[in-house]
Amino acid sequence: MSKIFEVPLYAYERSPDQDAPAPVRHKVIVVGAGPIGLAAAIDLAQQGVEVVVLDDNDKVSFGSRAVCYAKRPLEILDRLGCGQPMVDKGVEWNIGKVFFNDRQVYEFNLLPEEGHQRPAFINLQQYYFEEYLVNRVRELQAEGAPIEIRGRNKVEAIGTHPDHVKVEVDTPEGAYTVEADWLIACDGAGSPIRSMLGLDFVGRVFEDNFLIADVIMEADFPTERWFWFDPPFNRGQSALLHKQPDNVWRIDLQLGWDIDKEREKRPENVIPRLKAMLGEDVQFELEWVSIYTFQCRRMEKFRHGRVIFAGDAAHQVSPFGARGANSGLQDTDNLCWKLKLVLDGKAPESLLDSYDYERIHGADENILNSTRSTDFITPKSDMSRILRDAVLDLSEHYEFARPLVNSGRLSVPCTYDGSPLNSADALDGPERTRPGSPCPDAPLEDGFLLPRLGGKFTLLTIDADAPDVIEEDGIEVTRLALSVKDDPTQELKRRYLGEAESAVYLIRPDQHVAARSPSFDEQSIRHAIRRATGKEHANV
Amino acid sequence: MSDLILTPNIDTPDDFYAVLLAAHEGLGKDESDALNARLVLVLANHIGDRSILSQALKAAALKQE
Ligand SMILES: Cc1cc2nc3c(=O)[nH]c(=O)nc-3n(C[C@H](O)[C@H](O)[C@H](O)COP(=O)(O)OP(=O)(O)OC[C@H]3O[C@@H](n4cnc5c(N)ncnc54)[C@H](O)[C@@H]3O)c2cc1C
């Protein structure tokens, strides 16, 4: 049986563009049909923006790569129409165990906060994720949405112009040229487009190698995350065991710096390592093996005129904390509504610079967290190792040391503090919903809050009056009127009011808070809308 | 007699740990050992209370009561 990542999912087909006498101009070209490129395209197509995705391959990600998806990306995927299959197929887990040397030092429960529609985390092979995204593209096409994926269309060169981008594409049937008003580069960590534009990608390479294997086994390991520091079966290094659907288990084995990668990847060398870890008599089959060196780096700017970078092409993190795909989805969530407004002439092009500001902030937070985890897992000096081992020894006996153990900090969305799109906070409300924050979900009488916010500007009023619709310079904002009376668990009150009696929130299409106040004031809301769409620069 | 705190008590532990590692960055083994020794003495003086210090010594030796 061939594996899902071996079957072409978007096979090459000749496009009329290849026979056009002059290059055809599209609204948006997305380069790369990885998870981030597909998410960008779906988001745009759902908003009616014509989009073509070019990918040099025709299959989903080879091997599973990303396995952990956090709540916020699942919420974004809900809006893109693919959250449900992810959650249905994915496995949820809450228990983690930490081992040091030959013993378990402690166990933790993530104890996810109640009152969210989506779980804190699910594990799922990246190829399923990409398959669900491609299914969604097909569904949109069936509904007549303007979206297309072109497999085996390799971008060979690009030319940037003030009002468009020209793209040279190679296919099995020869080369052609095509143009777009905007190009989103989602061509992965090795981004050829970044190189074509001669742009930097700076940061740190961790001098270490990790053997990443997915094995299929009928084993009775529980659905938990197990992490080993310096175990007997991998001395001086670390190891991770994590469950995925279909009895597939993710195993990470740290190998150190001085190794022969090709040799280590051969099954005759991998299998004994896995046996030492899993036990001699556990039966397993290798699904996929790869060796990675991890890096934490980003581009200095994500927007370069009409070329905008997103996902791994813009920033790369080590996988401890599962921030790669998770943060890439937050990139496109941030970008696509802005691009739509610019394309419609409803916001100035400079609105796109706030994408740079906000997502660089996000990338820096992710890089900081991933770097710290990597430094804990791979101490880079004798003293770091001594301190790390001290933390682990203490963690076995004393609770205080456990928060210091860092085998990956789970991905949480960042708050765009200081963003030029935020208005000053006018509500004496909870910290977690201050301007810039991603809206936390809350249970309502009837369903959950986030699906009610949808993907447009919303005026959320809680026990406050306001008009049902406000239009400000082409931007339409619809009211969602709620009351603490629709709040069976009081979570809406806890998350959005705190001590306040009432509140009015201006919420952006990506469900981040733009402004909030205790009551509706027309002038300040109009001002906040202008600000959130890049039309107003300083607080006047 | 007051008790040694053995439950989490450091605000933003990852930030603290990063600062601790940074203090050792670039130091040789001897210099790092000396830094740790001075740090123990500085913290001990801050605590002052001998009974807490005895409990801390026991805790660090991983000797359960
Ligand atoms: C071992 C491992 C574990 C991971 N675990 C997690 C995790 O648990 N959670 C998480 O969130 N992330 C994780 N990640 C990261 C995650 O896999 C990446 O962040 C994610 O795949 C990035 O998606 P992307 O769409 O930006 O890039 P990619 O998936 O790399 O896609 C880039 C696409 O661009 C195409 N392309 C490249 N060049 C061209 C060209 N010239 N013309 C046309 N097309 C081109 C490629 O064919 C490819 O399809 C992990 C990564 C690894 C390696």
Side-chain angles (χ1 to χ4, degrees), chain A residues 158-166 180-185 187 191 193-202 298-310 313-315 335 339 349 352-357 360:
Chain A
I158 66 169
T160 53
H161 301 270
D163 65 342
H164 74 279
V165 184
K166 195 180 216 140
D181 288 352
W182 295 89
L183 185 142
I184 310 181
D187 50 346
S191 175
I193 297 196
R194 212 176 46 222
S195 318
M196 290 170 201
L197 297 181
L199 298 167
D200 275 350
F201 200 41
V202 278
R298 71 161 168 87
M299 297 179 72
E300 201 183 318
K301 273 173 46 211
F302 297 171
R303 176 182 174 215
H304 292 267
R306 294 209 161 216
V307 178
I308 302 171
F309 291 83
H315 44 73
L335 175 63
L339 190 55
E349 236 182 84
L352 297 171
D353 292 329
S354 70
Y355 166 73
D356 245 6
Y357 179 93
I360 283 177

Side-chain angles (χ1 to χ4, degrees), chain A residues 32 35-36 55-56 65-68 126 155 187 192 292 312 322 324-326:
Chain A
I36 309 313
D55 197 285
D56 63 352
R65 294 170 73 199
V67 293
C68 289
Q126 182 163 333
V155 174
D187 50 346
Y292 285 92
D312 278 12
N326 282 307

Side-chain angles (χ1 to χ4, degrees), chain A residues 164 248 267 322 378 396 535:
Chain A
H164 74 279
V248 175
T378 315
E396 183 176 7
K535 295 171 185 165

Side-chain angles (χ1 to χ4, degrees), chain B residues 3-65:
Chain B
D3 278 337
L4 177 71
I5 300 169
L6 288 168
T7 48
N9 191 38
I10 303 174
D11 201 24
T12 58
D14 285 350
D15 290 345
F16 161 70
Y17 197 75
V19 172
L20 180 61
L21 291 188
H24 286 279
E25 204 153 309
L27 301 187
K29 176 74 171 75
D30 290 352
E31 293 165 310
S32 262
D33 286 347
L35 177 71
N36 279 340
R38 291 193 298 268
L39 186 60
V40 168
L41 295 170
V42 168
L43 293 174
N45 179 62
H46 180 85
I47 292 162
D49 185 330
R50 287 286 306 278
S51 100
I52 300 268
L53 291 171
S54 312
Q55 294 171 61
L57 282 164
K58 277 205 192 105
L62 302 178
K63 283 192 192 125
Q64 300 289 42
E65 271 13 35

Side-chain angles (χ1 to χ4, degrees), chain A residues 10 30-38 54-61 64-70 73 121 123-124 126 130 153-156 185-193 196 212 250 252 288 290 292 294 310-315 317-328 411:
Chain A
Y10 35 91
V30 172
V31 183
I36 309 313
L38 290 170
L54 305 175
D55 197 285
D56 63 352
N57 206 322
D58 54 8
K59 302 179 187 70
V60 289
S61 163
S64 78
R65 294 170 73 199
V67 293
C68 289
Y69 302 92
F121 252 93
N123 284 7
L124 182 74
Q126 182 163 333
E130 293 184 20
N153 271 240
K154 182 174 186 193
V155 174
E156 291 283 4
C186 305
D187 50 346
S191 175
I193 297 196
M196 290 170 201
I212 314 282
R250 163 60 54 85
D252 289 14
W288 169 72
S290 189
Y292 285 92
F294 294 128
D312 278 12
H315 44 73
V317 292
S318 65
F320 307 108
R323 288 163 186 268
N326 282 307
S327 67
S411 164

